[in-house]
Amino acid sequence: MQFSVRDPAAQHELIGRCLQEARRCADSQDVPVGAVVISPDGRIIGQGHNTRERDGDPTGHAELNALRQAADQVGTWQLPGCSLAVTLEPCPMCAGAISQSRIAAVIFGAWDEKAGAAGSVFDVLREPRLNHWVEVHPGVRAQECAQVLRDFFTARR
């Protein structure tokens, strides 16, 4: 299937794919976040979910796992023209990796009012002093994405 990241129906479907990926965290203690990377021609070339707890790796965020898979698929760390969709607003670490990989656009679901770096707390992706700026499409299926996180944290308490 091919996706156009500026098409609201495609954004909705992409976040749905991210939610499917987030559900893969169910067997671990990882926060359920999922991400996919879309090639310039609209194909999914990378996907990932949080694996920090499972792997004991502080960089095991969904976005980084999806970026690694996409870079392996393409054969280089540079992903110009690619886009990334994720269920939760990227944190500063992930926003830095997104910028470094030259991702063109980010679509995300829920806002992260504690550590978001795509417009809520910080805006790393559109920081004018950096050498790469990312188009941001926030709040796609935000309530649904936020509910998955609320359910996870409620169950842990």
Side-chain angles (χ1 to χ4, degrees):
M1 178 176 237
Q2 293 189 337
F3 298 96
S4 170
V5 296
R6 289 191 179 95
D7 174 29
Q11 292 176 357
H12 185 86
E13 176 65 24
L14 285 166
I15 293 297
R17 296 284 182 106
C18 294
L19 285 163
Q20 289 174 356
E21 190 65 29
R23 288 184 192 100
R24 295 185 64 199
C25 294
D27 294 334
S28 70
Q29 294 298 311
D30 284 292
V31 176
V33 176
V36 297
V37 176
I38 306 94
S39 69
D41 65 359
R43 295 175 298 110
I44 293 177
I45 58 170
Q47 53 192 25
H49 57 278
N50 279 353
T51 57
R52 246 180 9 170
E53 299 297 327
R54 186 192 78 191
D55 297 345
D57 178 0
T59 68
H61 287 207
E63 300 95 323
L64 296 182
N65 290 329
L67 287 170
R68 283 184 191 108
Q69 191 177 88
D72 284 346
Q73 178 80 18
V74 173
T76 180
W77 61 270
Q78 295 180 357
L79 301 169
C82 292
S83 299
L84 182 137
V86 60
T87 56
L88 180 64
E89 179 183 7
C91 72
M93 175 180 67
C94 292
I98 289 164
S99 180
Q100 289 296 312
S101 65
R102 309 302 192 259
I103 288 286
V106 167
I107 302 152
F108 71 84
W111 291 93
D112 184 348
E113 300 296 334
K114 292 182 180 178
S120 63
V121 179
F122 308 102
D123 201 353
V124 173
L125 297 178
R126 296 175 286 198
E127 170 56 52
R129 293 171 289 187
L130 296 178
N131 66 340
H132 180 74
W133 305 282
V134 180
E135 183 180 322
V136 177
H137 302 272
V140 177
R141 295 175 75 167
Q143 295 302 322
E144 189 176 353
C145 292
Q147 189 62 52
V148 169
L149 294 165
R150 276 193 297 276
D151 292 347
F152 172 80
F153 287 110
T154 298
R156 287 184 58 103
R157 291 186 183 129

